[in-house]
Amino acid sequence: GESVGLHLPTLSVQEGDNSIINCAYSNSASDYFIWYKQESGKGPQFIIDIRSNMDKRQGQRVTVLLNKTVKHLSLQIAATQPGDSAVYFCAENSRNSGYSTLTFGKGTMLLVSP
Amino acid sequence: GAVVSQHPSWVICKSGTSVKIECRSLDFQATTMFWYRQFPKQSLMLMATSNEGSKATYEQGVEKDKFLINHASLTLSTLTVTSAHPEDSSFYICSASDRGQGTGELFFGEGSRLTVL
């Protein structure tokens, strides 16, 4: 998994813009990936997931892209709103481990200006 | 979706006291629950994996005698921070997987903020 950083990278966008948050993972055996949103003082909230047999999955205003070749995951948020401001974490899991260990990325803080 | 409840959501205690945090799966059975610790502006760090009816598995560097975990039933796991000190102040979060699904998706509690004076 990724190492934990002391300072969260920050992405600042204007309301209405599209946001792209990136994540790199290191475990080639990972086959299940999740994006979480964490608002201040709260637990992580599931946004969208994707399995390794797919390279794209769409939800409501969100799209996750998976590039297994370079071990890269991205979350795209369309028409970003102030309520989207939060810290976003990617996480990876593996069937090989019985889905027993979820490894989190370092997180990205998204700041949306009105 | 599945709901995981943590209690208390915040607690302030004196140094040297012990604090218990509960994690409950409200509408599903969780064979396995996970405990995380999160410092400000950092990611979640897995502390231990709690298995119903057996001893918890602790991550490297986590003191098992300091952080006691009990998973007495399929819907409840508890984390006790023993002899808490100011450096134990943190945000503690639990998660649980629905054993009926087996998909790997985890459901998170709202977290418990511990402040040790």
Side-chain angles (χ1 to χ4, degrees):
Chain A
E2 295 189 56
S3 61
V4 174
L6 294 180
H7 301 284
L8 287 173
T10 300
L11 174 64
S12 297
V13 300
Q14 293 286 325
E15 182 177 3
D17 288 350
N18 295 331
S19 302
I20 300 176
I21 300 172
N22 297 303
C23 177
Y25 65 95
S26 58
N27 186 357
S28 299
S30 294
D31 58 7
Y32 179 51
F33 304 88
I34 313 109
W35 279 100
Y36 290 96
K37 173 186 181 182
Q38 187 179 27
E39 295 175 323
S40 181
K42 296 186 177 181
Q45 176 186 0
F46 174 91
I47 300 174
I48 191 169
D49 60 359
I50 188 169
R51 297 201 178 268
S52 58
N53 60 349
M54 302 174 68
D55 52 22
K56 180 179 180 179
R57 190 165 186 225
Q58 288 185 292
Q60 188 176 11
R61 282 202 306 120
V62 294
T63 301
V64 55
L65 298 177
L66 174 63
N67 186 329
K68 295 181 288 295
T69 303
V70 296
K71 299 191 189 68
H72 185 268
L73 195 67
S74 69
L75 176 70
Q76 299 179 2
I77 304 174
T80 315
Q81 302 168 0
D84 295 327
S85 294
V87 178
Y88 290 81
F89 294 99
C90 66
E92 56 182 302
N93 211 333
S94 170
R95 184 175 57 187
N96 288 347
S97 67
Y99 295 119
S100 62
T101 304
L102 191 67
T103 302
F104 282 85
K106 66 178 66 174
T108 297
M109 179 174 290
L110 177 65
L111 297 175
V112 183
S113 304
Chain B
V3 177
V4 174
S5 174
Q6 274 186 248
H7 178 81
S9 55
W10 59 270
V11 57
I12 301 173
C13 71
K14 292 183 179 180
S15 185
T17 60
S18 294
V19 175
K20 179 185 286 187
I21 300 170
E22 294 185 347
C23 178
R24 294 181 184 272
S25 57
L26 297 187
D27 50 3
F28 66 98
Q29 292 185 332
T31 308
T32 304
M33 290 183 173
F34 304 89
W35 286 97
Y36 302 82
R37 183 174 184 177
Q38 186 179 32
F39 291 107
K41 298 189 185 301
Q42 293 191 28
S43 188
L44 284 75
M45 292 189 65
L46 180 65
M47 299 174 65
T49 302
S50 171
N51 300 295
E52 187 267 337
S54 64
K55 292 183 178 180
T57 303
Y58 290 81
E59 295 299 302
Q60 190 173 10
V62 179
E63 301 175 57
K64 59 182 65 177
D65 294 330
K66 173 75 172 177
F67 300 99
L68 300 179
I69 291 173
N70 183 277
H71 194 152
S73 76
L74 287 172
T75 59
L76 173 64
S77 176
T78 61
L79 168 68
T80 302
V81 182
T82 63
S83 186
H85 288 92
E87 58 266 28
D88 298 323
S89 299
S90 188
F91 195 48
Y92 293 89
I93 304 171
C94 73
S95 69
S97 60
D98 185 342
R99 73 169 187 171
Q101 285 191 1
T103 60
E105 183 178 355
L106 291 182
F107 303 96
F108 284 83
E110 285 297 310
S112 299
R113 184 164 300 284
L114 170 64
T115 301
V116 184
L117 302 178

